[in-house]
């Protein structure tokens, strides 16, 4: 389920800004790698700074991508086995337990990521002399954003659980109902 349609305005804006950062980051990564490989092959040299920038962009887009996936409800989960072997009440309990484990995991990644980032902030990268902590800050920042979306999604699911008695409804990739019953 794409949760973004249920978000308040501020969270929709935040999700949109993350999407813009992901598009710009992805385009920048592809461009930098292509230009650097072309220069290395055609002119015999490369841009040393492009490797550092690409590494930064890859890490930041990875953790921002995690938040974007959570906002869309797009993280992989296997529900068929749970639905086949557990009654609805147990499924709801299991869902709450899984959401709590995910929440605890995110909080621990935020704490550990902050610790790593703050301890490496004084170190500088080789070419651009950027703080290494900025590279590692991608994890706690991405996890804080992911946590915001995860908490909202969990509260949304708790308030309006899916109807397990009716047949499943087909959805488009964008989350819109097709009206077709599977």
């Amino acid at each position: 389920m794409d949760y973004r349609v249920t978000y308040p305005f501020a969270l929709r804006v935040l999700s949109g800004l993350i999407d813009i950062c992901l598009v710009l980051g992805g385009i920048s990564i592809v461009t930098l790698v292509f230009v650097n490989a072309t220069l290395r092959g055609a002119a015999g040299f490369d841009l040393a700074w492009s490797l550092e920038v690409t590494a930064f962009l890859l890490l930041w887009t990875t953790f921002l991508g995690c938040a974007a996936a959570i906002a869309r409800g797009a993280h992989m989960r296997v529900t068929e086995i749970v639905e086949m072997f557990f009654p609805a009440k147990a499924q709801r309990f299991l869902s709450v337990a899984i959401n709590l484990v995910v929440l605890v995991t995110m909080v621990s990644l935020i704490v550990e990521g902050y610790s790593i980032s703050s301890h490496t902030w004084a170190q500088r990268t080789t070419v651009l002399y950027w703080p290494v902590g900025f590279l590692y800050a991608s994890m706690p920042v991405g996890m804080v954003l992911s946590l915001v979306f995860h908490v909202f999604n969990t509260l949304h699911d708790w308030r309006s659980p899916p109807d397990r008695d009716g047949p499943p409804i087909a959805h488009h990739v964008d989350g819109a109902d097709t009206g077709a019953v599977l």
Side-chain angles (χ1 to χ4, degrees):
M1 170 185 175
D2 191 341
Y3 289 93
R4 294 175 300 170
V5 295
T6 64
Y7 286 167
F9 179 73
L11 280 184
R12 284 195 312 269
V13 168
L14 179 61
S15 178
L17 289 173
I18 291 170
D19 290 346
I20 290 169
C21 289
L22 289 172
V23 168
L24 294 175
I27 290 170
S28 298
I29 290 167
V30 170
T31 303
L32 283 170
V33 169
F34 176 77
V35 167
N36 203 32
T38 303
L39 284 174
R40 187 178 305 131
F45 72 93
D46 66 351
L47 304 171
W49 59 266
S50 72
L51 299 174
E52 284 185 9
V53 172
T54 301
F56 276 80
L57 288 171
L58 279 169
L59 272 172
W60 278 91
T61 55
T62 297
F63 286 105
L64 291 178
C66 178
I70 290 174
R72 288 172 172 76
H75 277 286
M76 185 179 84
R77 56 180 100 180
V78 180
T79 59
E80 290 81 10
I81 296 171
V82 173
E83 290 171 356
M84 190 181 323
F85 292 113
F86 293 98
K89 200 171 226 177
Q91 290 176 27
R92 191 159 165 91
F93 173 77
L94 189 57
S95 175
V96 169
I98 289 169
N99 283 332
L100 286 174
V101 168
V102 170
L103 185 132
V104 168
T105 302
M106 286 184 188
V107 169
S108 69
L109 288 171
I110 292 167
V111 170
E112 288 302 314
Y114 175 78
S115 175
I116 292 167
S117 179
S118 64
H119 283 89
T120 58
W121 201 266
Q123 297 174 13
R124 301 290 174 184
T125 60
T126 311
V127 178
L128 295 174
Y129 302 108
W130 288 353
V132 172
F134 180 61
L135 177 72
Y136 293 117
S138 61
M139 185 167 65
V141 170
M143 287 299 104
V144 165
L145 295 170
S146 296
L147 183 63
V148 168
F149 293 130
H150 178 70
V151 167
F152 188 90
N153 297 352
T154 301
L155 291 174
H156 177 270
D157 287 347
W158 183 257
R159 290 184 193 134
S160 56
D163 181 19
R164 299 276 184 214
D165 298 331
I169 304 293
H171 293 281
H172 286 290
V173 174
D174 65 359
D177 287 340
T178 64
V181 176
L182 298 176

